[in-house]
Structures are given as C-alpha cells and as structure tokens.
C-alpha cells in the first residue's frame, strides 16, 4: 500500500469512527429521552415553539428519529460499510437539531428553559446559540467532510481487474 493510499485509508477509517460516534450519541440521547418521554414533552412545550397539544407527538417523533437513525447509521457503517449513507442520515438529524436551536435563538422561549438534550438536567438553562453552533458543526462534518473523505478513498481505489 502506498503512502497516499494508506493516508486515504486512515481518512476513511476516521470517517467511519466519527459516524459511529455520532450514531452512539443519537442512541444515547434517544434512550435517555425514552426513560422520560412526558418530561421531554413538557420541556418541548416550555420552549414555546411547538403548540402544546403537539408536544407529546413531537417528543415521540424525536425519540423515534434518534433511535432509528442511530441504529441505522451503526448498521450501515458496521454491517454494510456504507459510511457516506450513514453520515448523511445522521447529518440530517443534527441539521434539524441545529435548525430548531437556531429558531430558539430567533424566538426565545417565554421563560428560560432547558433544551431536553440528553445529559442535561431539566433545570439547566439552554444556551441556544452554543447548541446551534455545536449541531451545525456536527451536521457540516457529517454531511460534507465525511462523505468527501469516503468518496476520495473510493475514487482513488484501483478498478477491479477482469480475468477472462
């Protein structure tokens, strides 16, 4: 293996590791919310962006999305070796979270409230700007950098030889 191919291989393996880490974050956050879906729905309601009667449905939608996309991303990377597809799926979730946090920056909740993010206490006051930045960076890495790294490696791989 040439030095260039070795570096490309490492880039792809790093990309796969990054996607696996993002998938595990989604599984952790979805599982944490699954332990208290009513509390998560109340947090969404307190944020004031989603109508009160839709909050429980949105809470379950977020939980389902995190768990299903996290599971799918793990499967795609580990069993199917489709890192780009997994990165795009996870990246879209983080883009949605960035969009929501950005909306909270533009239309802050009536009272300071938590974000409902896993690992945060319901009494923690969300820093919506920081959450927007974090999720935007993750979305950009997953939607642009990871697929580009995986593509460069695949594009630089030699074509299979046919033996007739």
């Amino acid at each position: 293996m040439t030095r260039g191919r070795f570096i490309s291989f490492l880039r792809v393996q790093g990309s796969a590791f990054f996607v696996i880490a993002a998938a595990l974050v989604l599984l952790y956050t979805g599982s944490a919310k699954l332990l208290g879906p009513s509390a998560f729905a109340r947090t969404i309601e307190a944020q004031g962006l989603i109508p009160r009667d839709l909050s429980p449905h949105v809470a379950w939608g977020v939980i389902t999305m995190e768990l299903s996309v996290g599971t799918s991303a793990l499967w795609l990377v580990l069993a199917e070796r489709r890192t780009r597809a997994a990165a795009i799926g996870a990246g879209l979730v983080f883009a949605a979270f960035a969009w929501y946090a950005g909306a909270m920056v533009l239309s802050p909740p009536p009272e300071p409230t938590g974000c409902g993010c896993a690992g945060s206490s319901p009494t923690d006051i969300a820093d919506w700007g920081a959450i927007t930045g974090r999720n935007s960076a993750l979305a950009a890495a997953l939607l642009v950098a990871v697929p580009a790294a995986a593509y460069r490696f695949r594009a630089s791989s030699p074509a299979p030889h046919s033996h007739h």
Side-chain angles (χ1 to χ4, degrees):
M1 181 178 285
T2 66
R3 182 178 184 271
R5 292 232 347 111
F6 181 70
I7 290 170
S8 292
F9 175 78
L10 289 178
R11 188 179 303 132
V12 169
Q13 296 311 309
S15 297
F17 177 78
F18 186 76
V19 174
I20 290 168
L24 292 174
V25 166
L26 291 173
L27 289 171
Y28 169 72
T29 58
S31 297
K33 291 176 181 108
L34 188 59
L35 295 176
S38 297
F40 181 50
R42 285 190 300 276
T43 299
I44 291 171
E45 182 182 327
Q47 293 166 354
L49 196 59
I50 304 294
R52 179 183 201 157
D53 57 334
L54 292 181
S55 294
H57 304 291
V58 170
W60 277 107
V62 170
I63 292 166
T64 303
M65 178 179 62
E66 287 176 327
L67 294 174
S68 62
V69 172
T71 302
S72 297
L74 278 180
W75 175 259
L76 284 169
V77 173
L78 298 174
E80 301 290 326
R81 300 201 184 276
R82 295 182 57 205
T83 302
R84 286 185 292 165
I88 291 168
L92 291 172
V93 172
F94 284 103
F97 291 159
W99 175 87
Y100 185 86
M104 296 303 294
V105 169
L106 297 175
S107 180
E111 298 290 327
T113 186
C115 69
C117 307
S120 67
S121 163
T123 60
D124 291 342
I125 303 303
D127 179 346
W128 295 108
I131 295 167
T132 302
R134 177 191 68 216
N135 288 327
S136 295
L138 285 168
L142 289 162
L143 292 170
V144 178
V146 169
Y151 177 77
R152 275 198 299 265
F153 179 71
R154 185 170 286 198
S156 69
S157 297
H161 296 290
S162 171
H163 298 288
H164 293 286

